[in-house]
Short mmCIF file of all heavy atoms in Angstrom, two decimals:
data_model
loop_
_atom_site.label_atom_id
_atom_site.label_comp_id
_atom_site.label_asym_id
_atom_site.label_seq_id
_atom_site.Cartn_x
_atom_site.Cartn_y
_atom_site.Cartn_z
N LEU B 1433 18.87 -17.24 2.25
CA LEU B 1433 18.41 -16.27 1.17
C LEU B 1433 17.39 -16.92 0.18
O LEU B 1433 17.53 -18.10 -0.09
CB LEU B 1433 19.60 -15.79 0.45
CG LEU B 1433 20.37 -14.63 1.18
CD1 LEU B 1433 21.83 -14.63 0.77
CD2 LEU B 1433 19.71 -13.28 0.90
N GLU B 1434 16.41 -16.03 -0.17
CA GLU B 1434 15.39 -16.46 -1.09
C GLU B 1434 15.45 -15.58 -2.32
O GLU B 1434 16.05 -14.48 -2.28
CB GLU B 1434 14.04 -16.30 -0.45
CG GLU B 1434 13.78 -17.14 0.80
CD GLU B 1434 12.53 -16.95 1.54
OE1 GLU B 1434 11.75 -16.10 1.00
OE2 GLU B 1434 12.28 -17.53 2.50
N LEU B 1435 14.81 -16.07 -3.39
CA LEU B 1435 14.88 -15.27 -4.69
C LEU B 1435 14.34 -13.89 -4.45
O LEU B 1435 14.81 -12.90 -5.01
CB LEU B 1435 14.08 -16.01 -5.73
CG LEU B 1435 14.61 -17.34 -6.24
CD1 LEU B 1435 13.65 -18.01 -7.26
CD2 LEU B 1435 16.01 -17.20 -6.88
N GLY B 1436 13.26 -13.80 -3.68
CA GLY B 1436 12.63 -12.48 -3.41
C GLY B 1436 13.46 -11.50 -2.62
O GLY B 1436 13.13 -10.32 -2.54
N ASP B 1437 14.60 -12.01 -2.10
CA ASP B 1437 15.52 -11.03 -1.43
C ASP B 1437 16.35 -10.16 -2.40
O ASP B 1437 17.05 -9.28 -1.95
CB ASP B 1437 16.44 -11.78 -0.44
CG ASP B 1437 15.62 -12.52 0.62
OD1 ASP B 1437 14.56 -12.09 0.97
OD2 ASP B 1437 16.07 -13.61 1.09
N SER B 1438 16.36 -10.60 -3.64
CA SER B 1438 17.10 -9.87 -4.63
C SER B 1438 16.56 -8.40 -4.74
O SER B 1438 15.42 -8.19 -4.96
CB SER B 1438 16.98 -10.54 -6.03
OG SER B 1438 17.58 -11.76 -6.06
N ALA B 1439 17.47 -7.52 -4.50
CA ALA B 1439 17.20 -6.05 -4.48
C ALA B 1439 18.41 -5.26 -4.26
O ALA B 1439 19.46 -5.84 -4.15
CB ALA B 1439 16.17 -5.80 -3.31
N VAL B 1440 18.26 -3.98 -4.21
CA VAL B 1440 19.31 -3.09 -3.81
C VAL B 1440 19.04 -2.64 -2.36
O VAL B 1440 17.92 -2.18 -2.11
CB VAL B 1440 19.52 -1.86 -4.74
CG1 VAL B 1440 20.69 -0.97 -4.22
CG2 VAL B 1440 19.64 -2.25 -6.14
N TYR B 1441 20.04 -2.83 -1.45
CA TYR B 1441 19.86 -2.49 -0.12
C TYR B 1441 20.70 -1.25 0.16
O TYR B 1441 21.93 -1.12 -0.17
CB TYR B 1441 20.35 -3.63 0.81
CG TYR B 1441 19.44 -4.80 0.67
CD1 TYR B 1441 19.58 -5.80 -0.35
CD2 TYR B 1441 18.34 -5.01 1.58
CE1 TYR B 1441 18.67 -6.82 -0.45
CE2 TYR B 1441 17.54 -6.07 1.50
CZ TYR B 1441 17.67 -7.01 0.43
OH TYR B 1441 16.79 -8.02 0.36
N PHE B 1442 20.08 -0.25 0.77
CA PHE B 1442 20.74 1.06 1.08
C PHE B 1442 20.81 1.18 2.59
O PHE B 1442 19.78 1.08 3.27
CB PHE B 1442 20.01 2.18 0.46
CG PHE B 1442 20.07 2.33 -1.04
CD1 PHE B 1442 19.02 1.85 -1.82
CD2 PHE B 1442 21.22 2.97 -1.58
CE1 PHE B 1442 19.11 1.97 -3.25
CE2 PHE B 1442 21.22 3.07 -2.98
CZ PHE B 1442 20.24 2.55 -3.79
N CYS B 1443 21.96 1.59 3.03
CA CYS B 1443 22.15 2.03 4.43
C CYS B 1443 22.06 3.53 4.46
O CYS B 1443 22.42 4.18 3.41
CB CYS B 1443 23.49 1.49 4.85
SG CYS B 1443 23.99 2.06 6.50
N ALA B 1444 21.64 4.09 5.53
CA ALA B 1444 21.49 5.61 5.72
C ALA B 1444 21.82 5.89 7.10
O ALA B 1444 21.75 5.06 8.00
CB ALA B 1444 20.19 6.11 5.24
N SER B 1445 22.15 7.20 7.35
CA SER B 1445 22.36 7.69 8.73
C SER B 1445 21.79 9.11 8.90
O SER B 1445 21.66 9.77 7.88
CB SER B 1445 23.82 7.63 9.13
OG SER B 1445 24.48 8.70 8.51
N SER B 1446 21.41 9.47 10.05
CA SER B 1446 20.99 10.86 10.32
C SER B 1446 21.54 11.26 11.73
O SER B 1446 21.77 10.43 12.50
CB SER B 1446 19.47 11.02 10.28
OG SER B 1446 18.87 10.15 11.33
N ASP B 1447 21.58 12.56 11.90
CA ASP B 1447 22.30 13.11 13.05
C ASP B 1447 21.56 12.54 14.34
O ASP B 1447 22.18 12.05 15.26
CB ASP B 1447 22.22 14.64 13.02
CG ASP B 1447 23.03 15.29 14.15
OD1 ASP B 1447 23.93 14.53 14.74
OD2 ASP B 1447 22.86 16.46 14.34
N THR B 1448 20.19 12.70 14.38
CA THR B 1448 19.42 12.23 15.46
C THR B 1448 18.23 11.42 14.93
O THR B 1448 18.00 11.45 13.70
CB THR B 1448 18.91 13.43 16.34
OG1 THR B 1448 18.11 14.25 15.61
CG2 THR B 1448 20.14 14.15 16.86
N TRP B 1449 17.44 10.99 15.94
CA TRP B 1449 16.18 10.29 15.50
C TRP B 1449 15.14 11.31 15.42
O TRP B 1449 14.34 11.55 16.36
CB TRP B 1449 15.84 9.17 16.50
CG TRP B 1449 14.72 8.30 16.06
CD1 TRP B 1449 14.41 7.92 14.85
CD2 TRP B 1449 13.68 7.88 16.96
NE1 TRP B 1449 13.34 7.17 14.90
CE2 TRP B 1449 12.84 7.07 16.14
CE3 TRP B 1449 13.45 7.97 18.26
CZ2 TRP B 1449 11.70 6.45 16.66
CZ3 TRP B 1449 12.31 7.38 18.83
CH2 TRP B 1449 11.43 6.65 18.01
N SER B 1450 15.00 12.02 14.29
CA SER B 1450 14.06 13.07 14.11
C SER B 1450 13.54 13.06 12.64
O SER B 1450 14.35 12.79 11.74
CB SER B 1450 14.79 14.50 14.32
OG SER B 1450 14.02 15.53 13.92
N SER B 1451 12.27 13.40 12.53
CA SER B 1451 11.66 13.40 11.22
C SER B 1451 12.31 14.45 10.34
O SER B 1451 12.29 14.31 9.12
CB SER B 1451 10.15 13.76 11.37
OG SER B 1451 9.48 12.78 11.99
#
Side-chain angles (χ1 to χ4, degrees):
Chain B
L1433 278 155
E1434 299 177 358
L1435 293 176
D1437 298 332
S1438 295
V1440 182
Y1441 292 84
F1442 289 97
C1443 176
S1445 73
S1446 62
D1447 191 16
T1448 64
W1449 186 41
S1450 166
S1451 291

